[in-house]
Amino acid sequence: MLEVSNSRTIQTHSRQITHRLFCFTYAGGAASIYRDWSNKLPQSIEVHAFQFPGHGTRLNEPLFKRVEPLVETTAQELMPYLEGSFAFFGHSMGAIISFELAHLLRRENKPAPSHLFLSGRPCAHLTKKEAPTYDLPEPEFLEELHRMGGTSKAVLEHPELMSVLSPILRADLELCQTYECEPRPPLDCPITVFGGLRDEDVSREQLEGWRDYTTSSFAVRMFPGNHFYLHSAAHVLLRTIAQDLRNVPGENG
């Protein structure tokens, strides 16, 4: 399910729209994390935040625990909107989905993204193999969530909220921790990779490794903040995305 993440009225085929930006969230997140992006980006960029099944407004739908079926479902839902110039932005788990979605579209000879923005996720060949955390007993699982920093202490200490959020987080983490990237020829679209300067789990070296996954232009940009810098440094992040998209020919250009 797609959400146009802004409050202004948008005509999808308006000549003002030159790019569509499809956004994919991190583990446990919902499309609403991108709700303000359209108001902070140029009006020529139409922001669509994808709501994963089992999250947010799709809470009653089954969760996915493996990458491939989620990517296939996402592609089916996105296909009617993949026209003109479009780009993908994905943070952490969303970066995996963005990357695999670009490969699926190429494999099926469908329209391809003009730019791929991957955030807060190590490249496949530099991802450290660590013990899974998605199946920890609940007390240890809560400790791990606290360490990761994406869930507030107030939420972690609220049993009713965690009864809803914990299954979502476990499913998303299982999806990420069981993901294996199949060797394939590199993509031919530009890739820009983002990271937080204080991210203790993802280093710049791991982000630089994405260079091997495209034959086109590549850049790494680091921002103040931890793994969830995209909230604290949203202004400069969005300015960077807008600048990169200005360098991509639009559907009317």
Side-chain angles (χ1 to χ4, degrees):
M1 176 186 292
L2 284 175
E3 297 183 3
V4 180
S5 61
N6 67 352
S7 57
R8 61 176 180 251
T9 301
I10 290 181
Q11 296 297 322
T12 301
H13 298 288
S14 167
R15 292 185 63 85
Q16 284 190 322
I17 303 301
T18 58
H19 304 285
R20 290 175 175 171
L21 180 64
F22 296 94
C23 301
F24 306 93
T25 189
Y26 46 78
S32 58
I33 70 167
Y34 299 113
R35 62 182 175 274
D36 296 329
W37 277 31
S38 283
N39 293 324
K40 296 176 181 177
L41 285 166
Q43 292 192 9
S44 59
I45 300 173
E46 181 178 87
V47 178
H48 291 274
F50 189 83
Q51 191 79 272
F52 291 126
H55 298 65
T57 55
R58 305 178 71 174
L59 197 59
N60 293 329
E61 298 181 35
L63 291 157
F64 283 78
K65 298 181 180 180
R66 293 295 183 272
V67 168
E68 185 175 357
L70 178 56
V71 170
E72 292 173 352
T73 295
T74 301
Q76 291 173 2
E77 296 186 16
L78 283 184
M79 208 62 72
Y81 304 93
L82 300 183
E83 58 184 21
S85 178
F86 63 89
F88 295 153
F89 173 92
H91 182 74
S92 200
M93 180 181 80
I96 296 175
I97 302 305
S98 298
F99 176 70
E100 289 296 332
L101 187 56
H103 273 285
L104 182 148
L105 293 174
R106 182 178 69 175
R107 186 167 65 248
E108 297 188 355
N109 295 313
K110 302 296 184 181
S114 58
H115 206 113
L116 206 55
F117 298 102
L118 305 178
S119 172
R121 176 74 190 182
C123 67
H125 69 278
L126 293 180
T127 299
K128 298 176 182 177
K129 288 293 183 183
E130 298 180 347
T133 59
Y134 64 85
D135 56 355
L136 287 172
E138 193 68 9
E140 288 89 337
F141 186 63
L142 293 177
E143 288 181 14
E144 174 63 13
L145 294 178
H146 178 72
R147 185 200 67 79
M148 292 170 62
T151 310
S152 71
K153 183 178 179 181
V155 172
L156 290 173
E157 294 178 350
H158 196 296
E160 291 184 4
L161 289 177
M162 287 309 300
S163 69
V164 175
L165 186 56
S166 184
I168 298 172
L169 285 162
R170 286 182 182 275
D172 289 354
L173 290 175
E174 182 172 350
L175 182 147
C176 294
Q177 293 171 3
T178 58
Y179 169 62
E180 294 185 3
C181 182
E182 296 294 329
R184 289 157 295 187
L187 296 167
D188 57 8
C189 66
I191 293 180
T192 302
V193 180
F194 302 128
L197 288 166
R198 293 188 289 105
D199 190 334
E200 297 180 357
D201 295 319
V202 185
S203 69
R204 177 163 190 145
E205 178 186 3
Q206 290 174 309
L207 298 175
E208 290 278 3
W210 282 107
R211 186 182 304 272
D212 297 336
Y213 293 79
T214 181
T215 58
S216 185
S217 61
F218 176 83
V220 173
R221 298 197 172 97
M222 306 297 290
F223 300 98
N226 58 20
H227 186 66
F228 296 95
Y229 77 89
L230 73 164
H231 300 305
S232 58
H235 179 73
V236 64
L237 169 64
L238 294 176
R239 188 171 60 203
T240 302
I241 291 173
Q243 179 62 49
D244 282 353
L245 290 180
R246 273 195 291 270
N247 295 328
V248 175
E251 61 182 312
N252 299 309

